[in-house]
Amino acid sequence: RVSYTRQSLSRWLAHASPVLVRLLEKVHSQKSFQDLSFELNMRMDRIYEIAAHLVFWGKAKVICKIRKENVYVTATHSERQWACFGMVAALFAEDFVDVSLPELLSVFARPVPLAEHLSSLTGPALEKMSATVPWLLREGLLVQLHTYVLFMVPGHDLKGAIGTCLRNAAVTEYSPSATHAKDVLRAQGEDALSGCPHSAVLHELCDQSVSFALLLHTIRMLNGRHSVEEISWACGVARGDLEKLLGVYELFLRCCQM
C-alpha cells in the first residue's frame, strides 16, 4: 500500500508518465495493491515496479492496509530525529489546526487496536482521528506492530488441550471462502499430514472441521517468522478467519507483537 511523503508531487508529476499519474490519483492508505490492480485494470507486477521506484527515490512509503484491527504505536526515534520534531509539528499544525501533536502521540503510547482509539469518537472528531493516522504513518511518527504466530505443543496437559481445541473447532463458523481449505484437505486424504511439522500432534487434532483444514493449510507458516498479514496473503485466508483460527487453537498457537 502506498502512502505519499510530505513532499509536493506537482513539480514532477507534470513530466511523469500517464501510467504513474493514473496510479497516484487512485492511491489511498486504505487501498491494497490488489484493489488498485482491479480498479485501474493494471497488472500487479507493474504496480510493484512503480511502487518500488517511488520508495527508492523517497517519494512514497509502503504500508499495510489501514484496518481497525491493526495496532499502531508511537515510533522510537533517535535524538537527531527528535531534533526535527518542531518542524514536523509545524507541518502537522497546518493540516490539523485543532489537534495537539504531542497529545495525539501520547494516545498511541498504548499498544491497542486502532478500533479502541476510535470507539469513543463520533462525527468530526472521528473523521479527524482517522485522517491523522495515515499522516503520522507517512511521517514515521507511528509504526505498526505486527503479530507473529508460532505453533507450540503445550508442556503439560496435552490431552486436555487437544480436547478443548476439538470442541472449539466444532462450533466455530468461518466465511464461505474458508471452506475451500476443507475441500483441499479431503482431496489430499491420508497424504495431508505427511511431512507436516508436529505431525503426531496434528493427528490428534485431526477432525472434519474447517478449523483443522485451515490449521493444516497454514501450519508451515506458523513458525514465528511470519506476521498475520503475511500468512493471510500467502495462504489466501481472510484476516477474520485467521483470527478465529488463532482463537480455536489458542492453546497451541503463541502470538507475539513486535
Side-chain angles (χ1 to χ4, degrees):
R1 291 83 180 169
V2 179
S3 176
Y4 295 136
T5 62
R6 177 72 189 177
Q7 297 175 350
S8 172
L9 301 176
S10 58
R11 296 194 304 271
W12 52 279
L13 277 186
H15 307 286
S17 71
V19 175
L20 175 60
V21 174
R22 282 181 59 219
L23 178 64
L24 293 182
E25 286 176 346
K26 297 296 183 180
V27 159
H28 192 278
S29 57
Q30 293 184 335
K31 290 183 181 179
S32 66
F33 283 173
Q34 289 86 348
D35 295 334
L36 293 171
S37 177
F38 177 79
E39 190 171 343
L40 296 171
N41 192 26
M42 188 180 297
R43 298 196 322 270
M44 284 290 291
D45 59 341
R46 183 61 172 150
I47 293 177
Y48 281 125
E49 182 182 14
I50 295 174
H53 181 79
L54 292 172
V55 170
F56 179 82
W57 290 106
K59 302 297 182 181
K61 286 185 178 180
V62 178
I63 63 174
C64 289
K65 187 175 181 178
I66 295 179
R67 300 176 182 271
K68 291 184 178 180
E69 301 85 1
N70 293 351
V71 178
Y72 302 103
V73 294
T74 306
T76 302
H77 290 84
S78 65
E79 290 185 8
R80 182 177 179 182
Q81 289 171 311
W82 279 118
C84 302
F85 182 79
M87 182 188 306
V88 176
L91 295 174
F92 182 84
E94 293 178 8
D95 293 337
F96 305 98
V97 179
D98 300 325
V99 182
S100 168
L101 180 56
E103 290 181 7
L104 180 61
L105 293 177
S106 68
V107 169
F108 287 99
R110 293 191 307 124
V112 297
L114 179 60
E116 186 168 328
H117 294 304
L118 302 178
S119 60
S120 60
L121 302 177
T122 58
L126 176 60
E127 294 178 5
K128 190 169 293 185
M129 173 64 91
S130 301
T132 61
V133 173
W135 196 100
L136 295 172
L137 287 168
R138 183 188 69 198
E139 299 297 337
L141 297 177
L142 284 187
V143 294
Q144 181 183 352
L145 292 184
H146 297 278
T147 300
Y148 294 81
V149 187
L150 172 66
F151 186 93
M152 181 182 296
V153 179
H156 58 86
D157 194 18
L158 177 59
K159 188 174 181 179
I162 291 173
T164 299
C165 292
L166 289 174
R167 289 190 293 273
N168 292 341
V171 299
T172 303
E173 297 182 359
Y174 296 87
S175 68
S177 62
T179 58
H180 80 282
K182 191 173 180 179
D183 296 333
V184 172
L185 178 61
R186 187 182 298 112
Q188 291 176 340
E190 294 296 327
D191 296 331
L193 293 174
S194 61
C196 284
H198 309 289
S199 57
V201 175
L202 290 175
H203 271 98
E204 297 293 328
L205 290 169
C206 182
D207 59 11
Q208 298 301 313
S209 68
V210 176
S211 295
F212 180 74
L214 284 176
L215 176 65
L216 202 62
H217 183 57
T218 58
I219 189 66
R220 288 178 173 81
M221 297 195 73
L222 304 179
N223 55 15
R225 291 180 286 184
H226 302 285
S227 67
V228 167
E229 291 86 1
E230 288 181 85
I231 298 169
S232 176
W233 179 83
C235 298
V237 179
R239 175 79 174 264
D241 289 330
L242 190 55
E243 289 175 352
K244 290 180 182 179
L245 183 70
L246 297 180
V248 170
Y249 297 103
E250 63 178 346
L251 298 176
F252 289 86
L253 298 177
R254 298 290 183 264
C255 298
C256 175
Q257 285 186 335
M258 56 187 297

